[in-house]
Every structure is written in C-alpha cells, then in structure tokens.
C-alpha cells in the first residue's frame, strides 16, 4: 500500500528524522491530472494520420508509460482509502499480491519512461546528423520493433526488480541502467547543441541578415527546449536514484536515514515528471496543438479513421 512492500523497504527510517508524509489527495490529484494529459496525447497521435511517424510513436510510447504510472498510482490511492476505512487488510495475502502488481507496473512505467526518453533523443540525433538518410534509417517498421523491445524488456525487468529488489545486485543494475541512459542522453544532446552552434556560426557569415536571424532563432529555441527536457528529467528522477544509492552505501547511517525520510517527496517528483512531459514533448508541437484544439472544441465533427 502507501508505501507498499517495495516502498516500505525504500523508506525505512531508523533515525530521529521524522518521515515526510504527503497527503493521499495530492498523489490522487497528480495521478488524475497526468492521466488526462497523457491519455490526450495518446489519443491525438492515434487519431491524426499526420502524426504517424517514428518521432511521434516514441512520444506516444512515453505518454503511454506515463498513463500507466498515473493509473497505477490512482489505483493505489483508491485502495489506501479503503484500507484506512478498514475495508482492506494491508497485511492480507491478496493485498500483498496486489502491492506486487502495483510495484511492478510502477517500475515498468518508470523504466519505460527512461528508455522512451532515450529513444526520442536517438531519433532527434538521427534527424539532425543524418537528415538525408533519416527516412531510410528510422522507418515505421524499425520504430515498431524498437517499441516492442522496450515494452517487453521493461515488463520483464520490472517483474524481476520487484521480486528481487532487496538484493544489492538488482539495485545496482537499476542504478546502472539509469546512469548509462543519462550519459547517453547527455552525449546526444551535447552533440546536437554543438551542431546547432556550428550552423549558427556558419549562417552568421552570410550577408542576408533576415535569414540569419531566423536560423539563429530556431537554433536558440531548440537549445532551450533540449535544456528544459534534460533539466526536468534530472530534477524529477535523480533524487529517487540517489535514494537507492543511499540504501546501498550507508543503510544505517543517521544522516543517510534523514535523506531516506523524504521518500514520498521523491515519489511525488517522479509523478510530476508525468505531469510535465505532455507540455515539453507534445504541446510544443504545432501539429499536436492543432489536433488538441479539434479534440477539445470540435469533438462533434470528429471522424475516426
């Protein structure tokens, strides 16, 4: 429950620091809002044929993982309400099995978000560095195969993580996957940023100032977008993984336990990433914004393909 079996392991506190408890209503509200946002993105991508491209498929996958996380967390909060009223036994066998299912789905959605984020970074890298060959390299069939691998691997890894999470090896693998993915994303975005700067300098050599300002503005906007994406990802995810490092490095140190007392705050940060994702991935797309307007204001005229 809240925290479930996995969360109890993570948030155990044996120091004088009081464990921070966030209201269930906060998690419930975040879950419902993020569910609506990400479900809107999924429906928009499925509905609009103009969005049937590898990039939007990866964005849709990210939104689907976020939708799963929102549904699972909302489900957990509903169960907490019943448990607080005495309708559920938190130590019952069926309730504990339900905790394992919830933990597995949450781990799957979190890991899936990492790999979807990485897939988007790779797709954008190919778009910039291999623009002429992009449509031959990243076909819809290959995008579908990549997504199939991501979803299968995330499902299997989530089950293993929840089953053996108390072992140091599994936690180390979990942290290593996050660290390696983070480094790859940094590398790809730094390369794209440097290429944007190089093109901006080349354009500065032209005498046509209007064209120069337009190109530089586009590169600046892209650089700002990448900075927002990466910064939000780190802010929302890093505290949780530092939490895991603390568990392995100093499981009984009182200062480390004080940091571990913030576990629910770290979970709230993870959930906030699902809230922010639609804004920074989807709502910056003109095609998606147009689709959203049609969905929200012209629903009566919709015709599904």
């Amino acid at each position: 429950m809240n925290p479930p079996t996995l969360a109890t392991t993570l948030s155990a506190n044996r120091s004088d620091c009081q464990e921070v408890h966030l209201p269930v209503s906060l998690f419930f509200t975040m879950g419902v809002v993020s569910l609506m946002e990400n479900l809107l993105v999924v429906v928009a991508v499925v509905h609009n044929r103009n969005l049937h491209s590898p990039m939007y498929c990866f964005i849709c996958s990210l939104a689907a993982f976020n939708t799963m996380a929102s549904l699972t967390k909302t489900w957990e909060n509903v169960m907490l309400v019943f448990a607080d009223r005495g309708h559920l036994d938190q130590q019952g066998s069926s309730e504990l099995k339900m905790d394992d299912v919830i933990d597995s789905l949450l781990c799957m959605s979190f890991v899936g978000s990492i790999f979807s984020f990485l897939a988007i970074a790779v797709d954008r890298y190919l778009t910039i560095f291999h623009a002429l060959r992009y449509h031959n390299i990243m076909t819809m069939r290959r995008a579908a195969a990549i997504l199939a691998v991501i979803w299968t691997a995330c499902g299997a890894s989530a089950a293993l993580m929840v089953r053996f999470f108390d072992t140091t090896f599994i936690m180390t693998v979990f942290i290593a996957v996050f660290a390696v993915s983070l480094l790859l994303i940094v590398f790809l975005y730094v390369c794209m940023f440097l290429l944007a700067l190089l093109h901006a300098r080349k354009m500065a050599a032209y005498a046509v100032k209007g064209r120069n300002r337009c190109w530089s503005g586009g590169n600046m906007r892209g650089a700002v977008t990448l900075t927002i994406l990466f910064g939000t990802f780190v802010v929302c995810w890093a505290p949780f993984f530092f939490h895991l490092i603390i568990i392995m490095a100093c499981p009984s140190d009182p200062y480390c336990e004080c940091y571990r007392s913030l576990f629910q705050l770290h979970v709230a940060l993870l959930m906030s990433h699902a809230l922010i994702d639609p804004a920074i991935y989807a709502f910056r797309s003109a095609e998606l914004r147009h689709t959203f307007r049609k969905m929200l204001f012209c629903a009566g005229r919709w015709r599904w393909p």
Side-chain angles (χ1 to χ4, degrees):
M1 309 302 286
N2 191 18
T5 305
L6 172 60
T8 302
T9 303
L10 293 176
S11 60
N13 184 26
R14 295 183 295 274
S15 72
D16 294 332
C17 294
Q18 294 295 322
E19 185 175 354
V20 175
H21 290 281
L22 299 179
V24 176
S25 58
L26 174 63
F27 289 107
F28 185 81
T29 302
M30 293 177 66
V32 171
V33 174
S34 62
L35 172 62
M36 294 173 61
E37 288 182 348
N38 288 282
L39 193 58
L40 185 65
V41 174
V42 174
V43 173
V45 173
V46 172
H47 173 76
N48 191 341
R49 293 184 182 275
N50 294 331
L51 301 178
H52 293 179
S53 65
M55 181 185 70
Y56 285 108
C57 286
F58 295 139
I59 290 177
C60 185
S61 174
L62 177 64
F65 277 118
N66 288 335
T67 300
M68 179 189 299
S70 303
L71 274 173
T72 306
K73 194 61 183 176
T74 304
W75 177 18
E76 183 186 39
N77 291 330
V78 171
M79 292 181 63
L80 279 171
V81 173
F82 282 101
D84 291 339
R85 296 181 178 179
H87 299 299
L88 291 176
D89 180 12
Q90 297 191 27
Q91 299 303 319
S93 59
S94 59
E95 285 80 4
L96 291 177
K97 290 179 181 179
M98 191 65 68
D99 280 339
D100 289 339
V101 173
I102 291 174
D103 290 337
S104 297
L105 291 176
L106 285 174
C107 284
M108 181 178 177
S109 62
F110 293 156
V111 176
S113 295
I114 295 176
F115 284 109
S116 296
F117 193 101
L118 181 59
I120 293 171
V122 172
D123 181 80
R124 294 187 178 186
Y125 177 88
L126 293 175
T127 303
I128 293 177
F129 283 87
H130 302 279
L132 298 179
R133 299 175 51 228
Y134 171 77
H135 293 289
N136 293 327
I137 297 174
M138 186 60 71
T139 63
M140 285 295 292
R141 180 174 296 181
R142 288 179 180 173
I146 292 172
L147 291 176
V149 171
I150 288 176
W151 280 81
T152 303
C154 289
S157 62
L160 291 174
M161 286 176 185
V162 172
R163 178 64 180 84
F164 303 103
F165 199 83
D166 54 344
T167 63
T168 303
F169 175 75
I170 292 297
M171 278 195 280
T172 303
V173 171
F174 198 31
I175 295 171
V177 168
F178 173 76
V180 171
S181 300
L182 195 64
L183 290 175
L184 284 174
I185 292 169
V186 171
F187 173 77
L188 293 174
Y189 280 170
V190 166
C191 289
M192 286 185 280
F193 182 76
L194 291 177
L195 182 65
L197 289 179
L198 178 62
H199 280 212
R201 290 176 180 176
K202 289 181 178 180
M203 293 301 296
Y206 290 118
V208 183
K209 296 182 179 180
R211 183 183 177 189
N212 186 23
R213 284 196 299 270
C214 179
W215 215 100
S216 299
N219 279 289
M220 182 57 66
R221 186 174 184 275
V224 171
T225 301
L226 296 180
T227 303
I228 294 173
L229 292 174
F230 180 69
T232 303
F233 183 78
V234 172
V235 169
C236 293
W237 282 83
F240 176 79
F241 284 90
F242 187 68
H243 188 110
L244 300 184
I245 295 174
I246 288 293
I247 292 175
M248 295 188 300
C250 50
S252 59
D253 185 272
Y255 294 103
C256 294
E257 293 299 328
C258 282
Y259 183 84
R260 289 175 62 179
S261 68
L262 303 175
F263 174 74
Q264 289 198 17
L265 181 60
H266 302 157
V267 174
L269 279 174
L270 288 179
M271 292 187 65
S272 68
H273 192 239
L275 280 169
I276 301 171
D277 272 347
I280 57 180
Y281 283 108
F283 289 100
R284 293 179 67 87
S285 166
E287 187 68 32
L288 269 174
R289 288 197 301 270
H290 176 69
T291 304
F292 293 146
R293 283 194 294 268
K294 290 178 61 178
M295 291 169 59
L296 296 175
F297 302 110
C298 305
R301 296 183 232 169
W302 262 39
R303 293 294 182 270
W304 284 82

